[in-house]
Structures are given as C-alpha cells and as structure tokens.
C-alpha cells in the first residue's frame, strides 16, 4: 500500500541519517530519561547501537549520577531521541 511505501521510505531515510553519524559524537535520550553521550561505532536495522567513550547521565533520588564507560550496546527499543553532535546535559 502507499502507507507502507511511505513508512519504508522514512525508515530508510532515518537509517541513512544515523549512518552519517558513525564516527561522530551523538547524544541519545533513552525512554528511562537516562541520557547517553558517546561516539557512534555502528548500528543495525533495529537501531541497536554500539558507542565508545561514553558518558551516561542519570537522575537518581540522590541527585545526578554521571558514569563513564569505555563501550556500551544500546537496545534500539529503548531509544527516544538521537541528537547528532550533541554533548549531553550541562555538567
């Protein structure tokens, strides 16, 4: 149907956009309100992502928690928003 063709075209454009971000810094907002900033190494058709040099920002009852990680694998189902070139929340 025309609707399916439109959805497929939008998905292709989205993955092409993410593909252009490989090797660059990217800011990711997760469904859990966790924010992650890192260098995008790669992703698959489900937008599962591998990042390196990662900083994870999380709001806890005790305040903001910042965690540094060498690498992370993110499940695409848990990603709300991608911001190419973003450096994340103000520290």
């Amino acid at each position: 149907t025309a609707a399916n063709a439109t959805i497929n075209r939008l998905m292709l454009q989205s993955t092409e956009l993410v593909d252009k971000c490989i090797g660059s810094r990217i800011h990711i907002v997760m469904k859990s309100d966790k924010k992650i900033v890192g260098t995008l190494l790669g992703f698959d058709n489900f937008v599962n992502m591998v990042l390196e040099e990662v900083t994870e920002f999380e709001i806890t009852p005790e305040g903001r928690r910042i965690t540094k990680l060498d690498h992370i694998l993110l499940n695409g189902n848990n990603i709300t928003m991608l911001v190419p070139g973003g450096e994340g929340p103000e520290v």
Side-chain angles (χ1 to χ4, degrees), residues 6-22:
T6 300
I7 289 170
N8 288 339
R9 190 172 66 249
L10 287 172
M11 286 177 60
L12 181 61
Q13 288 172 342
S14 299
T15 55
E16 287 172 355
L17 207 66
V18 176
D19 192 50
K20 289 180 182 178
C21 295
I22 291 179

Side-chain angles (χ1 to χ4, degrees), residues 40-84:
L40 180 62
L41 294 182
F43 68 99
D44 63 14
N45 290 339
F46 302 102
V47 196
N48 298 315
M49 299 184 152
V50 177
L51 293 99
E52 69 178 355
E53 298 173 20
V54 176
T55 305
E56 182 181 85
F57 301 89
E58 186 176 14
I59 302 300
T60 68
E62 296 80 36
R64 183 190 294 181
R65 180 178 4 181
I66 298 173
T67 308
K68 300 277 189 176
L69 303 165
D70 290 333
H71 290 89
I72 195 168
L73 170 63
L74 299 177
N75 182 320
N77 287 330
N78 296 321
I79 295 173
T80 301
M81 183 173 61
L82 305 171
V83 183

Side-chain angles (χ1 to χ4, degrees), residues 20-35:
K20 289 180 182 178
C21 295
I22 291 179
S24 301
R25 299 292 285 173
I26 190 166
H27 174 192
I28 299 170
V29 178
M30 305 298 287
K31 287 182 181 174
S32 65
D33 285 334
K34 199 179 279 190
K35 294 172 178 54

